[in-house]
Amino acid sequence: MIIGSNLLFYEKLSSTNSQASLLLKDKDLPEGTVVYTDFQTGGRGQGANRWESEKCKNLLLSIILYPDSVQPEEQFAISIAISLGICDFIDRYYSGCKIKWPNDIYINNGKIAGILIENSIFGPEIKSSVAGIGLNINQENFPDNISNPISLKQVAGKEFDRDVILEQLLSDLDIRYKQLLYGDRSHLKDEYISRLYRLNEWCAFKSGNKEFTGRITDISDHGNLRIEGQNGRIAEFSFREVDYVL
Ligand code: BTN
């Protein structure tokens, strides 16, 4: 086992990603070290977003990885492996979760998990990667400022033991991480594409201040989203260049 070989628990942290990055500065931590906590005072999301999570209800963790064989230009492959690992875990209890590009995990139209991957790139290699995951497990009441949240308890109809859940999640992530390191990456990419939220469905998107109708066809090797417009042309978008209109 790589992921979960070393577990570091904290009752409270500002952010598990920040703590993992801090530890990486002056310690040689084994690959697969998991920093996890019951509560974050400054949980971080993509961009300027925050990640809020009720104390002791959910999973808040960051995994330290050294993905030597992944080139910086292939870094989206890490997102693919982590997203699929979370989906595999959710499948144990509820089938049909989707990946809302680039890496939000959705059940129906609700977000059950968010991923924040922070890579340290030096020259031609990824020196380390911190893969942060916030996964809603037992929380039932969410603040109004969080848009469309959902938890495993809400869909599966029962309370979960977070220690058991953590072990299962880490095991599912470990399988996907090993596939990333030693397996067929194009197969992982195909699985990711087949899991995409609203794949092949005509729906509304927004790019800048322009709204348009299109359908997601696939992603590029760099992880850009490809959307076919109504004129039949396919346009490619990098992160933040396009948004779904929900
Ligand atoms: C997003 O959806 O914008 C990404 C959210 C990622 C949240 C997790 S919670 C554990 C880890 N620590 C953080 O500060 N953020 C990630």
Side-chain angles (χ1 to χ4, degrees):
M1 171 183 243
I2 302 174
I3 293 184
S5 54
N6 182 28
L7 301 180
L8 302 177
F9 173 72
Y10 299 80
E11 267 173 36
K12 182 166 105 174
L13 281 175
S14 164
S15 148
T16 56
N17 267 42
S18 303
Q19 181 66 15
S21 301
L22 202 71
L23 291 172
L24 270 170
K25 280 198 183 127
D26 49 28
K27 274 202 190 117
D28 282 331
L29 290 170
E31 174 161 47
T33 293
V34 176
V35 173
Y36 68 113
T37 189
D38 276 342
F39 186 64
Q40 292 184 138
T41 52
R44 297 189 282 117
Q46 298 279 355
N49 296 341
R50 289 173 54 83
W51 185 262
E52 289 177 44
S53 173
E54 198 180 326
K55 197 173 181 180
C56 296
K57 292 278 182 182
N58 303 314
L59 287 188
L60 302 163
L61 63 136
S62 298
I63 307 160
I64 293 171
L65 302 168
Y66 307 116
D68 293 339
S69 62
V70 180
Q71 307 299 305
E73 61 275 16
E74 303 166 323
Q75 58 186 284
F76 194 72
I78 304 170
S79 281
I80 291 180
I82 298 292
S83 303
L84 289 174
I86 297 173
C87 290
D88 293 341
F89 161 74
I90 293 170
D91 276 352
R92 291 173 182 251
Y93 300 104
Y94 192 87
S95 64
C97 69
K98 298 279 177 194
I99 303 166
K100 182 166 169 276
W101 180 86
N103 49 21
D104 287 343
I105 310 299
Y106 264 55
I107 286 183
N108 302 322
N109 288 314
K111 178 165 166 176
I112 186 164
I115 301 169
L116 179 64
I117 297 182
E118 297 179 303
N119 296 323
S120 294
I121 296 172
F122 282 92
E125 67 175 58
I126 300 177
K127 205 175 142 237
S128 63
S129 178
V130 173
I133 299 170
L135 176 57
N136 296 330
I137 302 294
N138 290 323
Q139 188 165 345
E140 287 181 286
N141 299 304
F142 293 89
D144 293 341
N145 61 318
I146 304 184
S147 57
N148 56 4
I150 201 165
S151 68
L152 198 57
K153 180 172 181 181
Q154 286 174 320
V155 291
K158 61 170 185 166
E159 184 95 7
F160 291 89
D161 177 332
R162 287 181 308 137
D163 292 333
V164 173
I165 290 295
L166 178 66
E167 204 179 300
Q168 293 172 341
L169 174 68
L170 297 180
S171 151
D172 292 334
L173 288 166
D174 190 58
I175 292 169
R176 292 299 185 171
Y177 186 59
K178 285 176 182 152
Q179 288 175 355
L180 166 71
L181 295 184
Y182 315 118
D184 176 357
R185 286 198 196 147
S186 67
H187 183 69
L188 280 180
K189 183 183 161 199
D190 290 345
E191 273 196 70
Y192 173 94
I193 291 169
S194 69
R195 280 269 188 188
L196 277 176
Y197 177 70
R198 297 201 171 160
L199 177 71
N200 285 324
E201 277 175 42
W202 289 101
C203 53
F205 292 93
K206 202 164 106 180
S207 181
N209 49 18
K210 200 180 134 222
E211 265 198 34
F212 64 96
T213 300
R215 63 172 174 187
I216 295 170
T217 57
D218 62 351
I219 57 161
S220 72
D221 284 343
H222 290 102
N224 291 337
L225 190 66
R226 290 206 183 111
I227 303 177
E228 181 187 346
Q230 282 172 311
N231 57 8
R233 272 201 225 124
I234 294 179
E236 210 173 286
F237 299 89
S238 60
F239 185 48
R240 299 223 169 273
E241 277 181 350
V242 72
D243 224 331
Y244 300 72
V245 178
L246 293 173

